[in-house]
Amino acid sequence: MNRMARRQAWLPLGGGAALVLPVLLAALWPALLTPIDPEQRGPAMQQIDGVWWAPPYPPSAAYWLGSDLAGRDQLSRLIHGAAPTLSLALSASALRLVVGIALGVVAVALGGTIGHAIAAAAEASAALPPLLFAFLIIVTVGAHAGAPLFIVALGLSGWAPWTHLVVSAVQRLAREPYLEAARAIGATRWSLARYYVTPALAPSAIPAAAQEFAAVLLLIAELGFLGVFLGIDTPLRLSDLLAGDQPNLPAPEWGGMLAGTRMAIFRQFWLPLAPAAIVLWTILGISLVAEGLRRRLTWVSH
Amino acid sequence: MRQRAVTIGRLLLGGIARMLLIASLVGACSFLTIYRPVVRLMWEALAGVLVLVGAPTTTLAPIVWPLLYAYGHSMLVILGALLLAVCVGVPAGVLAGLRPNHLIGSTIRLLGSAGTLVPTFMMAMAVLVFFVLVVLPATGIRFVLLATNESAFDPRRMLPLVLTLAARPVAHIIAASADAVADVWHAPFMHVARSRGLGPTALIWRHALPHVALRVGAALPPALLFAIGSLPIVEFLFSWPGVGLELLRHIVDGRTTGLTGTTLVAALATSLAATYAAAAGLADALQRRIDPRLATEVQR
């Protein structure tokens, strides 16, 4: 039974790691995976499979995932775009965790009116779609403010589940006999949190943190699809995006590569498909890792 | 003597800390007041709300009518998606729960998981391509409006939106129904019912479905939240004039300036949050009413 449980945990963990590792490699050492400069533009016209094309070039031996409107290699831009995209997702999900857990701890420690106020704020925050919240903040302040604004907007939109997780876990654990026994033998609040609450929270919190990262990554892609992305240098106009006009993409970033591709799916399918596929690939990998971690940690804690 | 010195030291430290706190608060307040006149802005916002509250109905018309128009459009597709999710998800989930190790059960579970993993914009693009390249040539019916300047209401245009928005709720409901059936199918009361001669169909209808209804009821608010969260992307992609698209338009086009624009954006965002809060509260109340265990807990 134990061997079976272990295998059930390792299977998704291994599968997820196999999907995530190439993405990590791309983020850490992009030059290892592609020798092509992501900013290098192709010729104005090019013959592909006997047909003359102007940019964007379709997928071929020269451009495995096609090129963008400026004739730049999509694969190379995806590889070089991994680092900014993943670091943004990591920072924003870390902020969500810090804010959510800190407020949860404050709500549990102080309780009373402050606890109720934090619970109410968490309820209100959970009711507002994170995409709209982040979009509103970034567009109102101005996307030119850069990564810090994106981190704050994405990080302050999804902290509520973490507050709920901490509060509900502590309330559940407070009724456990072993915690009462620890309190009876004189355990301090710190030692209760360090030796009893944190290990009990870990099996659900660690996979949830991985899922949070995937959720933020998805949000970055969705914001990019709506024309809000890191490094945007022209004012956003929704009518242009609806009409299928692609904005200027100064730096490679997965969200930005999806901007203005609403109509491109019919003419140049590789423009939205390549970045969308890499986002899906990464989310799938992280979800599998999260599931494997959940099974493994649950098995270990039992 | 030493204790006295410690006490004096503590008092000194406390005094310094308090002074630092006051100084930093005063510094922050003056910086905010001078650099960005926060107090004035807050007063203006409050005055705006007071003006709005005391305004005649004609002043509210530019806010109320666009809000109702957009909210009505969004609710039509959201309710349609949830209805479709229940109609498809419950039978599929029950089947998956009854045959957990069978090919059908595994396939349904796998499709359900795919529904939660695939990003909404990818699902929306797949539906868009399907309706434009497959359905339109086959039927001649324009289910999808690609142009942005046509706004006449056409119920047929709801179909692709409903299908896209239903993907994730279907996955939630399949998982909830399958788990509910798997939990109760081998429960002692089921064995008793079987021993009294009840067939599988009667077992499902009389004993399994009440449990499924409870789990599905609990799964509906999160499903609704996912559907609401996906509204901006889906309405943008299909040019559907609902709350999501109107919010994007107002925020991007800078129509948020001025009292009317700001109030409309706030009202649009609040309408989504209020819908979720109302649905969650309703689902909770219904569950407490239906589930005898929860009802007893409340009475205690």
Side-chain angles (χ1 to χ4, degrees):
Chain A
M1 184 64 194
N2 273 353
R3 189 182 294 171
M4 193 159 171
R6 207 179 301 173
R7 196 184 300 160
Q8 277 182 347
W10 282 117
L11 207 66
L13 205 57
L19 291 178
V20 170
L21 272 178
V23 180
L24 273 180
L25 202 65
L28 294 172
W29 299 285
L32 267 183
L33 297 181
T34 173
I36 305 169
D37 179 6
E39 295 305 319
Q40 186 188 320
R41 289 162 190 252
M45 292 288 280
Q46 199 164 349
Q47 198 174 25
I48 295 169
D49 297 332
V51 181
W52 282 96
W53 287 82
Y57 302 123
S60 63
Y63 302 97
W64 287 8
L65 295 179
S67 83
D68 67 0
L69 290 169
R72 296 173 293 194
D73 182 41
Q74 284 258 95
L75 179 61
S76 174
R77 289 182 71 74
L78 281 177
I79 290 170
H80 282 269
T85 314
L86 295 185
S87 50
L88 177 62
L90 194 66
S91 314
S93 44
L95 182 63
R96 279 183 174 191
L97 257 72
V98 169
V99 172
I101 292 174
L103 284 175
V105 169
V106 169
V108 166
L110 300 180
T113 316
I114 294 175
H116 286 302
I118 290 174
E123 290 285 340
S125 169
L128 196 65
L131 177 68
L132 274 178
F133 181 84
F135 188 87
L136 180 64
I137 288 189
I138 296 169
V139 174
T140 308
V141 178
H144 52 79
L149 177 66
F150 275 76
I151 293 168
V152 169
L154 293 166
L156 293 184
S157 59
W159 52 270
W162 288 95
T163 306
H164 283 306
L165 181 79
V166 172
V167 172
S168 60
V170 172
Q171 281 172 350
R172 180 170 46 82
L173 287 171
R175 290 194 292 267
E176 292 288 335
Y178 67 86
L179 217 67
E180 277 180 32
R183 233 181 273 127
I185 59 168
T188 59
R189 273 189 169 191
W190 166 252
S191 60
L192 285 176
R194 166 75 182 78
Y195 296 106
Y196 298 97
V197 178
T198 310
L201 264 176
S204 53
I206 293 172
Q211 288 285 19
E212 197 68 63
F213 178 79
V216 173
L217 185 64
L218 176 62
L219 210 54
I220 291 170
E222 288 183 339
L223 280 172
F225 191 73
L226 292 173
V228 174
F229 54 90
L230 211 56
I232 185 169
D233 61 354
T234 44
L236 181 67
R237 285 178 63 188
L238 207 66
S239 51
D240 292 346
L241 292 170
L242 277 166
D245 290 350
Q246 272 205 289
N248 181 35
L249 304 175
E253 193 254 329
W254 293 354
M257 291 172 77
L258 282 162
T261 56
R262 177 179 177 261
M263 302 296 280
I265 191 76
F266 298 109
R267 300 186 300 263
Q268 301 108 10
F269 64 90
W270 59 92
L271 287 179
L273 218 56
I278 193 72
V279 169
L280 181 61
W281 171 287
T282 314
I283 288 174
L284 187 65
I286 293 166
S287 301
L288 282 173
V289 168
E291 178 59 20
L293 281 174
R294 190 187 63 77
R295 288 184 189 181
R296 174 99 185 119
L297 290 169
T298 313
W299 176 70
V300 167
S301 66
H302 282 99
Chain B
M1 187 68 182
R2 193 176 167 184
Q3 202 175 355
R4 207 171 164 188
V6 169
T7 316
I8 291 169
R10 272 188 189 162
L11 281 172
L12 269 173
L13 277 175
I16 291 168
R18 201 172 298 160
M19 272 175 63
L20 280 174
L21 182 70
I22 292 168
S24 53
L25 277 175
V26 169
C29 286
S30 29
F31 180 79
L32 286 174
T33 318
I34 296 161
Y35 182 62
R36 289 260 191 275
V38 176
V39 180
R40 187 162 60 81
L41 287 176
M42 281 170 71
W43 166 246
E44 278 178 9
L46 185 67
V49 172
L50 290 174
V51 165
L52 205 70
V53 168
T57 328
T58 45
T59 319
L60 293 174
I63 299 163
V64 174
W65 291 117
L67 173 69
L68 288 179
Y69 182 78
Y71 188 72
H73 274 80
S74 288
M75 282 308 111
L76 270 177
V77 289
I78 280 189
L79 290 177
L82 290 182
L83 192 68
L84 179 70
V86 171
C87 292
V88 174
V90 171
V94 169
L95 197 61
L98 287 175
R99 293 163 179 253
N101 300 319
H102 196 268
L103 181 69
I104 297 174
S106 309
T107 313
I108 291 171
R109 286 261 191 183
L110 190 73
L111 285 175
S113 307
T116 54
L117 280 175
V118 176
T120 310
F121 72 89
M122 283 186 81
M123 186 70 77
M125 278 203 285
V127 172
L128 182 78
V129 168
F130 175 73
F131 272 92
V132 171
L133 298 184
V134 180
V135 178
L136 179 63
T139 61
I141 302 170
R142 286 178 68 200
F143 285 99
V144 177
L145 199 64
L146 293 174
T148 55
N149 52 357
E150 294 176 45
S151 59
F153 178 74
D154 184 349
R156 286 176 300 187
R157 286 179 53 207
M158 282 168 55
L159 190 61
L161 283 106
V162 166
L163 284 177
T164 311
L165 287 172
R168 203 164 278 195
V170 163
H172 277 277
I173 289 170
I174 284 178
S177 314
D179 290 345
V181 172
D183 284 351
V184 298
W185 198 243
H186 299 291
F189 70 89
M190 285 297 225
H191 289 303
V192 173
R194 257 184 230 112
S195 67
R196 289 174 67 187
L198 242 66
T201 317
L203 276 175
I204 291 171
W205 279 102
R206 281 192 212 165
H207 295 290
L209 276 185
H211 287 268
V212 171
L214 283 175
R215 294 275 184 95
V216 169
L220 275 177
L224 175 72
L225 189 62
F226 275 118
I228 287 176
S230 308
L231 270 182
I233 283 278
V234 177
E235 290 181 351
F236 167 78
L237 207 96
F238 293 104
S239 301
W240 182 255
V243 176
L245 184 62
E246 286 309 304
L247 266 171
L248 295 183
R249 274 193 179 138
H250 276 80
I251 296 166
V252 172
D253 297 348
R255 290 186 217 167
T256 47
T257 49
L259 188 61
T260 314
T262 315
T263 315
L264 182 56
V265 168
L268 286 167
T270 311
S271 71
L272 291 182
T275 305
Y276 168 66
L282 190 69
D284 198 36
L286 274 176
Q287 269 198 311
R288 286 185 188 283
R289 203 170 170 76
I290 296 168
D291 192 344
R293 291 163 296 186
L294 287 175
T296 328
E297 203 174 279
V298 170
Q299 278 171 4
R300 271 186 216 155

